[in-house]
Amino acid sequence: MKTQIEQLRDEHRAAERLARSGLTPSRAGLFTGPPGVGKTLAARWLASELRLPLLVLDLSSVMSSYLGRTGGNIRKVLDYAKSSPSVLLLDELDTVAKRRDDAAEVGELKRLVTVLLQEIDDWPATSLLLAATNHGDLLDPAVWRRFDVVVNFPLPGPVELEEALRHYCGDEPLEGIGFLVRVLTGSSFADAERLVMSGRRRAALTGERLFEVLLQLGHDRLRHLDQAERLHIALDLVHDGELSQRRASELTGVSRDTIRRHQRERQPD
């Protein structure tokens, strides 16, 4: 993912070098993945690196109640973006570019796909067109083929979540961060940021240390898990040396006796 995004930047920075070889930079990139995983942030980073203005069009917001107007609205925005070098992000692409074989969609909406395809085909190499979708499976197959680069943004793993938490918390001491990482397993970067911001607000109101508040918020998030899942988290935290049995018990709601017994069972004979 990082390599693909950096290549988009490098191609546009070296457009003249590519031209000497009869090539042009990639004109269009498609970002796919669940909400909150960095698609919009990546577009902002590219615009900053290329020193170009970032234009963002939320396609869900231009869907007129009179569908016939939407095609014209999209053309006007894209014509404006093409008038000078820029990075244009089409957000919520699946709102417009749905499969044209979907019987549930009206004919006018299907014609919008054709309008969008024509605009992508005419996109100048001096600008970068990006599109983002949370639902790649809804896109018309012809839309996929129009993009030079497709970048999939997966949910962050443990390493990425820990890096994000450390970034959002700044200089705050983060003992026991492994607990929060496990609590956030399967979550997005946006989820991690919301957790930290909620903790910051509570800490500002109560005067508590931020990380103590975050640990309590993590404890609250575990309530929906069953006993077996909470026990698994507790055992991992104790085994990895992240937390003592007592602290793991407090945060997961699993008794120390249960943790101790299952820990002995884990140990090899």
Side-chain angles (χ1 to χ4, degrees):
M1 178 183 73
K2 180 181 178 182
T3 301
Q4 290 173 291
I5 296 172
E6 289 178 342
Q7 180 163 337
L8 275 174
R9 174 200 62 188
D10 296 342
E11 288 180 12
H12 280 263
R13 280 180 170 178
E16 293 183 2
R17 186 186 309 170
L18 290 175
R20 289 196 292 270
S21 299
L23 300 169
T24 58
S26 299
R27 296 175 304 152
L30 175 62
F31 294 168
T32 69
V37 291
K39 299 187 293 294
T40 302
L41 183 62
R44 290 197 188 111
W45 182 82
L46 279 167
S48 174
E49 288 287 294
L50 296 174
R51 298 184 180 179
L52 292 175
L54 174 65
L55 309 175
V56 180
L57 175 61
D58 184 345
L59 290 172
S60 64
S61 69
V62 301
M63 289 297 290
S64 171
S65 57
Y66 301 97
L67 279 174
R69 297 180 182 177
T70 305
N73 291 340
I74 292 175
R75 275 201 174 99
K76 288 178 183 177
V77 172
L78 269 67
D79 285 344
Y80 173 77
K82 288 188 289 187
S83 64
S84 61
S86 63
V87 175
L88 173 64
L89 173 63
L90 301 177
D91 204 6
E92 305 287 350
L93 180 65
D94 50 275
T95 305
V96 172
K98 294 184 178 180
R99 299 176 64 94
R100 286 174 288 184
D101 60 1
D102 186 348
E105 298 299 341
V106 298
E108 184 60 37
L109 191 54
K110 294 177 182 179
R111 284 190 285 275
L112 284 175
V113 179
T114 302
V115 169
L116 187 61
L117 295 179
Q118 291 171 347
E119 292 295 330
I120 296 175
D121 287 340
D122 294 337
W123 194 255
T126 53
S127 293
L128 178 59
L129 173 65
L130 301 173
T133 178
N134 303 331
H135 305 287
D137 55 309
L138 298 179
L139 297 181
D140 189 283
V143 173
W144 286 91
R145 294 194 294 269
R146 273 1 189 249
F147 288 93
D148 305 306
V149 178
V150 176
V151 184
N152 180 46
F153 287 71
L155 287 169
V159 173
E160 292 80 16
L161 281 172
E162 180 171 340
E163 290 177 353
L165 286 168
R166 292 189 183 280
H167 172 73
Y168 299 142
C169 290
D171 296 330
E172 182 75 15
L174 298 180
E175 64 275 9
I177 192 173
F179 171 70
L180 289 181
V181 170
R182 285 167 174 80
V183 166
L184 288 166
T185 297
S187 301
S188 68
F189 291 119
D191 294 326
E193 184 176 21
R194 276 192 291 268
L195 180 72
V196 173
M197 290 308 298
S198 178
R200 284 188 179 281
R201 294 185 185 99
R202 185 185 295 187
L205 291 173
T206 64
E208 299 174 83
R209 288 180 57 238
L210 171 60
F211 207 70
E212 287 300 318
V213 173
L214 291 177
L215 291 177
Q216 181 58 49
L217 291 175
H219 167 74
D220 294 342
R221 286 174 67 103
L222 288 184
R223 289 179 179 175
H224 72 283
L225 299 181
D226 61 28
Q227 170 82 0
E229 291 176 295
R230 288 184 283 115
L231 173 60
H232 181 72
I233 292 173
L235 290 172
D236 282 348
L237 290 168
V238 172
H239 180 268
D240 294 344
E242 288 277 351
L243 298 173
S244 66
Q245 289 181 356
R246 179 186 63 80
R247 194 65 167 129
S249 173
E250 292 172 349
L251 293 174
T252 62
V254 179
S255 72
R256 291 181 67 182
D257 287 342
T258 300
I259 294 174
R260 190 179 299 112
R261 183 175 70 255
H262 283 271
Q263 191 178 18
R264 285 197 298 266
E265 292 174 0
R266 273 192 173 191
Q267 294 173 349
D269 295 334

